[in-house]
Amino acid sequence: MLFLAFAIGKEIVRREDVQSEVTRLEQQADNLKKQNIQLAQILKEMTSENFQEKEARKKLDVQKAGETVVLLPQNSDEGERTLVVQNSSVSAAAAQDQSNPEKWWAFFFALPNS
């Protein structure tokens, strides 16, 4: 009788352990499904054309053809602020037509209006 009670008690403890393990694994599976859904949403957002355009603009300084880019450098020590406006189609075409020494000459000695 004592052996039978011990065997039944041992079986009950084993079933509770198995049930708690099953519950833990089900919770883990639910968490993984939620994470998978979140990752799918992030992937969908990152593959969108709008996101790629924003990242290219921010990280690679890319602009559309004919777009005007305004560059605002940080304040200098004297407190001056400078504003540089560059039209991508005009500046790119002008830069391609000049040789490298001409570009340096224009950089150092060109008039501010040109």
Side-chain angles (χ1 to χ4, degrees), residues 98 102-114:
Q98 294 178 333
E102 289 173 335
K103 290 178 191 176
W104 281 108
W105 182 267
F107 178 75
F108 285 110
F109 302 109
L111 295 175
N113 294 343
S114 59

Side-chain angles (χ1 to χ4, degrees), residues 46-63:
M46 288 182 142
T47 56
S48 72
E49 196 170 310
N50 192 19
F51 177 81
Q52 291 175 355
E53 182 178 330
K54 284 181 185 177
E55 288 297 307
R57 288 174 184 271
K58 183 169 51 173
K59 293 183 179 177
L60 303 174
D61 295 328
V62 175
Q63 69 243 13

Side-chain angles (χ1 to χ4, degrees), residues 48-93:
S48 72
E49 196 170 310
N50 192 19
F51 177 81
Q52 291 175 355
E53 182 178 330
K54 284 181 185 177
E55 288 297 307
R57 288 174 184 271
K58 183 169 51 173
K59 293 183 179 177
L60 303 174
D61 295 328
V62 175
Q63 69 243 13
K64 291 181 180 179
E67 185 174 54
T68 302
V69 177
V70 178
L71 305 172
L72 298 173
Q74 295 179 352
N75 291 343
S76 64
D77 293 337
E78 297 83 31
E80 295 179 13
R81 288 186 176 189
T82 57
L83 175 65
V84 178
V85 178
Q86 176 182 0
N87 190 327
S88 63
S89 61
V90 174
S91 297

Side-chain angles (χ1 to χ4, degrees), residues 1 18-19 21 27 38 42 46-47 65 74 76 86 91 99 105:
M1 191 72 133
V18 169
Q19 186 60 36
E21 181 71 15
Q27 289 174 348
Q38 290 174 344
I42 291 171
M46 288 182 142
T47 56
Q74 295 179 352
S76 64
Q86 176 182 0
S91 297
S99 67
W105 182 267

